[in-house]
Amino acid sequence: MLRYSRAVAVAAGMLLATLPAAADSFGVQVHGILGETNLDGVELSVANGFTEPALLDARNLTFKTPGVMRGGGLRLDFLPDDNQVRFGTGLAFFEVSELEVNYAPLPDDTSLKVGDSFGFSDEIFVGAEVLKGPVYLYIDARLSLSAVFTNIELYDQERGLMGTTQYSHWTAGFGPRIGALIPIGHSLTADVGVYHRLIGGVEQWHAYVGLGYWDNGRDDEFSQELKRSARGDF
């Protein structure tokens, strides 16, 4: 994932540029993500055709298993002055493992295997905090644009690896997310939650855990207690 760190940094800068100046509270969360993809039965689109003529009948590939996704993401949360509605945006990158593909018959002693696979998810969401202290429980409706890229490798029993071609799948998705901000201090929080798709998307479900830092303008009683306590310095 190292080669995508620059893209994550650029995306973070773009997301930060969307901060509304009038927002009463906003937070930045960084997460680790673990979940399952929704890829079984998905047909892949080839970017560049195989050079081997024997593979012309194998271009239409479908996944026959879901995959396991592991990665990380950045999310920005906004709370307007009345603290009744939350909204925001986010971006995640992840690797995908345990994938297999269906493909048309190939010449004897020739086979296809799934190589390195990775994806991303770009989201917007709207929701509400339904519990305000001692944890901040929230429920979001999440709309995402996601993609997965997978390298399909051609193997010959005698000659070994003969070539690699990258396939991709792009899709929009929608589903609910439930999570909780757990205050460490007045501004520093832990953030945990789970998302599950309703329609579309690369992600079937994922769980996340991370840390966030808030410009916390909440006016609820618990936030005021935190601010006055020793934890108010964090």
Side-chain angles (χ1 to χ4, degrees):
M1 301 297 289
L2 183 60
R3 57 179 170 165
Y4 306 114
S5 59
R6 183 173 299 176
V8 173
V10 172
M14 294 174 64
L15 292 176
L16 288 170
T18 67
L19 287 171
D24 186 60
S25 300
F26 63 85
V28 181
Q29 275 76 231
V30 179
H31 302 108
I33 298 170
L34 175 65
E36 184 179 71
T37 61
N38 173 43
L39 294 176
D40 47 323
V42 165
E43 183 173 338
L44 298 170
S45 298
V46 65
N48 296 293
F50 287 111
T51 57
E52 294 289 332
L55 286 176
L56 292 178
D57 293 332
R59 294 190 181 193
N60 295 325
L61 303 180
T62 58
F63 286 119
K64 64 179 180 180
T65 60
V68 175
M69 53 179 288
R70 298 179 179 89
L74 173 74
R75 195 183 75 230
L76 302 184
D77 298 0
F78 309 111
L79 284 173
D81 291 341
D82 58 11
N83 291 179
Q84 297 300 310
V85 177
R86 54 181 262 120
F87 62 94
T89 184
L91 182 65
F93 289 91
F94 47 84
E95 295 178 333
V96 186
S97 60
E98 301 183 22
L99 291 172
E100 298 179 17
V101 290
N102 293 306
Y103 53 88
L106 295 173
D108 293 341
D109 301 327
T110 305
S111 62
L112 298 182
K113 294 182 181 179
V114 177
D116 293 337
S117 301
F118 61 93
F120 78 89
S121 181
D122 191 6
E123 69 172 72
I124 57 173
F125 66 88
V126 62
E129 289 185 345
V130 296
L131 180 63
K132 295 181 179 294
V135 299
Y136 292 84
L137 183 69
Y138 57 85
I139 299 175
D140 295 332
R142 177 180 182 264
L143 178 65
S144 64
L145 173 65
S146 53
V148 65
F149 304 88
T150 187
N151 293 313
I152 303 298
E153 301 172 344
L154 169 65
Y155 282 87
D156 180 84
Q157 185 171 325
E158 294 183 357
R159 291 179 289 175
L161 179 63
M162 297 174 59
T164 301
T165 298
Q166 187 174 91
Y167 283 70
S168 64
H169 172 63
W170 295 74
T171 180
F174 177 79
R177 173 170 59 207
I178 182 168
L181 296 169
I182 305 169
I184 298 172
H186 183 252
S187 296
L188 186 64
T189 68
D191 187 22
V192 298
V194 63
Y195 164 81
H196 198 290
R197 78 178 189 97
L198 288 180
I199 55 173
V202 166
E203 307 143 288
Q204 177 68 18
W205 67 270
H206 71 248
Y208 57 89
V209 59
L211 287 175
Y213 191 84
W214 280 77
D215 175 14
N216 189 357
R218 292 180 179 85
D219 56 6
D220 61 277
E221 182 177 345
F222 186 74
S223 285
Q224 297 308 312
E225 290 179 5
L226 276 177
K227 192 173 183 179
R228 292 190 295 266
S229 72
R231 295 163 65 187
D233 294 332
F234 298 95

